[in-house]
């Protein structure tokens, strides 16, 4: 017996309309079901495959800023997708914690309107011991981003450089 995959996760929220807007408009998730009376929304990035991967429901009791989960990570298909999120987050004023290389991924750590940390990332086909996290400059051309990520693998600095 073994787990096949993570099916879905969810968050308790204060402001369901605000959070629904953030995850649908900014991240592109699609509402697959919702019940306004119960204050619950089911969302999916691929509704033709998975009814829901993410659930938002009213009833949060923890203060905004309290740690509820480590992060919610969303995989994208291309570096251009990461860069488009980089530009969109800047336009919308989304708080970004860090833009990074993990050696095996390039990503952006950011916060939703209720302070929950998320990540959008592109998986890179290479094996790099984790944790590996170094800041990356996404205000460059794609070939320079890949070159910087490669250079950071062996630059002699500490492999894990988080931003608090």
């Amino acid at each position: 017996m073994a787990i096949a995959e993570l099916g879905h996760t969810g968050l308790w929220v204060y402001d369901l309309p605000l959070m629904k807007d953030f995850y649908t408009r900014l991240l592109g998730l699609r509402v697959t079901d919702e019940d306004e009376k119960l204050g619950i929304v089911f969302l999916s990035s691929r509704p033709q495959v998975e009814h829901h991967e993410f659930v938002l429901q009213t009833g949060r009791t923890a203060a905004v800023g309290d740690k509820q989960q480590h992060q919610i990570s969303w995989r994208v298909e291309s570096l251009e997708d990461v860069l488009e999120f980089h530009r969109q987050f800047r336009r919308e004023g989304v708080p970004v914690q860090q833009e990074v290389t993990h050696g095996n991924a390039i990503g952006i750590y950011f916060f939703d309107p209720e302070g929950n940390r998320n990540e959008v990332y592109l998986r890179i086909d290479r094996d790099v011991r984790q944790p590996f996290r170094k800041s990356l400059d996404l205000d460059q051309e794609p070939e320079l981003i890949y070159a910087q990520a490669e250079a950071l693998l062996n630059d002699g600095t500490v492999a894990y450089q988080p931003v608090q």
Side-chain angles (χ1 to χ4, degrees):
M1 180 171 78
I3 299 295
E5 64 185 23
L6 176 64
H8 62 271
T9 191
L11 290 177
W12 296 108
V13 303
Y14 286 122
D15 189 333
L16 187 58
L18 176 68
M19 297 293 277
K20 176 182 167 185
D21 176 69
F22 181 86
Y23 284 99
T24 57
R25 187 174 56 81
L26 262 67
L27 296 189
L29 298 180
R30 287 169 272 177
V31 173
T32 56
D33 270 317
E34 64 185 308
D35 187 317
E36 290 183 20
K37 184 177 177 185
L38 295 175
I40 189 168
V41 176
F42 298 86
L43 302 131
S44 183
S45 65
R46 49 194 185 118
Q48 67 284 5
V49 176
E50 191 71 50
H51 178 269
H52 62 278
E53 299 152 312
F54 195 51
V55 178
L56 299 172
Q57 186 168 14
T58 57
R60 180 174 177 165
T61 58
V64 171
D66 283 359
K67 292 181 178 178
Q68 292 195 110
Q69 84 294 325
H70 183 265
Q71 70 196 45
I72 303 164
S73 295
W74 307 96
R75 189 176 57 77
V76 300
E77 295 293 330
S78 70
L79 181 58
E80 184 51 44
D81 291 333
V82 173
L83 296 177
E84 183 54 36
F85 278 112
H86 166 76
R87 292 185 287 269
Q88 185 170 339
F89 293 162
R90 189 171 280 161
R91 280 193 306 270
E92 297 274 347
V94 173
V96 170
Q97 182 186 42
Q98 190 177 19
E99 297 175 332
V100 303
T101 176
H102 289 296
N104 62 4
I106 291 173
I108 303 171
Y109 288 94
F110 62 98
F111 296 94
D112 73 17
E114 292 190 2
N116 301 294
R117 187 170 71 167
N118 283 253
E119 176 190 24
V120 291
Y121 73 96
L122 170 66
R123 191 172 83 68
I124 306 296
D125 192 21
R126 75 177 326 140
D127 187 25
V128 175
R129 186 180 186 284
Q130 299 297 311
F132 183 96
R133 185 161 115 181
K134 294 183 181 182
S135 291
L136 195 59
D137 178 6
L138 296 182
D139 285 315
Q140 323 179 61
E141 294 300 316
E143 61 274 3
L144 295 176
I145 293 169
Y146 283 121
Q148 182 186 17
E150 186 68 27
L152 288 169
L153 284 172
N154 299 304
D155 69 354
T157 63
V158 175
Y160 186 65
Q161 298 171 345
V163 171
Q164 300 301 327

